Amino acid sequence: WIAVVNWNGAALLPACLTALRAQSHPAHVVVVDNGSTDDSAAVAARFPEVEWLPLGENTGFAEANNVVFRRALAAGADFVGTVNTDVQVDPAWLGAILQAADQNPRAGIFGGLLLFADKPDVVNSTGIVVDWIGRARDRDFGVPEKTLTTEDGPVTGISGGAALFRTDTLRRVGLFDPR
């Protein structure tokens, strides 16, 4: 399962959903719509493999994701992902992140390398870290990808832009806090 939270994202959905369609590993993609007033529904309808789930109002990012999380949990899914409408995942993204999950059975949340869309050779994030004065920031922000030396491993947090959650972890710690 992959949740794509949308609010007036008609201009962004085609690239996001095309990238999800191209995944080497299949997934049930749900576009959760937070009361859009643009052509988002018509855009999503061009992707018949995608489930369109209109909420009728803007419930916020956390609660919209939680709607899909609850459905994935009820369906017995082992994993559920989040992908923002402005993200275009690599075709191997889901397969690679599931492989990382298999190799790290004690880890519950997985992120990846996020690059800037307008500067695809520059890192946006490789995870969230806390600096020496307590500020959360994106690790490797602004680093050219070709010079990136960070290895996979634990971080304080991950970007919700493209993430994967073990459903057992969600059952243990709970869903996103909508406050």
Side-chain angles (χ1 to χ4, degrees), residues 57-95:
E57 64 179 338
N58 192 342
T59 63
F61 179 80
E63 184 53 35
N65 274 304
N66 287 344
V67 169
V68 177
F69 290 173
R70 287 185 198 100
R71 293 180 69 201
L73 289 166
D78 293 324
F79 295 93
V80 61
T82 59
V83 174
N84 286 354
T85 55
D86 64 344
V87 171
Q88 298 166 39
V89 290
D90 183 272
W93 170 75
L94 186 56

Side-chain angles (χ1 to χ4, degrees), residues 12-79:
L12 299 171
L13 280 173
C16 175
L17 297 179
T18 297
L20 288 169
R21 175 187 275 170
Q23 288 302 292
S24 58
H25 191 283
H28 181 78
V29 177
V30 181
V31 175
V32 189
D33 188 70
N34 263 333
S36 293
T37 57
D38 65 359
D39 291 331
S40 291
V43 170
R46 298 196 314 245
F47 297 84
E49 71 280 10
V50 169
E51 181 181 353
W52 173 255
L53 182 60
L55 300 181
E57 64 179 338
N58 192 342
T59 63
F61 179 80
E63 184 53 35
N65 274 304
N66 287 344
V67 169
V68 177
F69 290 173
R70 287 185 198 100
R71 293 180 69 201
L73 289 166
D78 293 324
F79 295 93

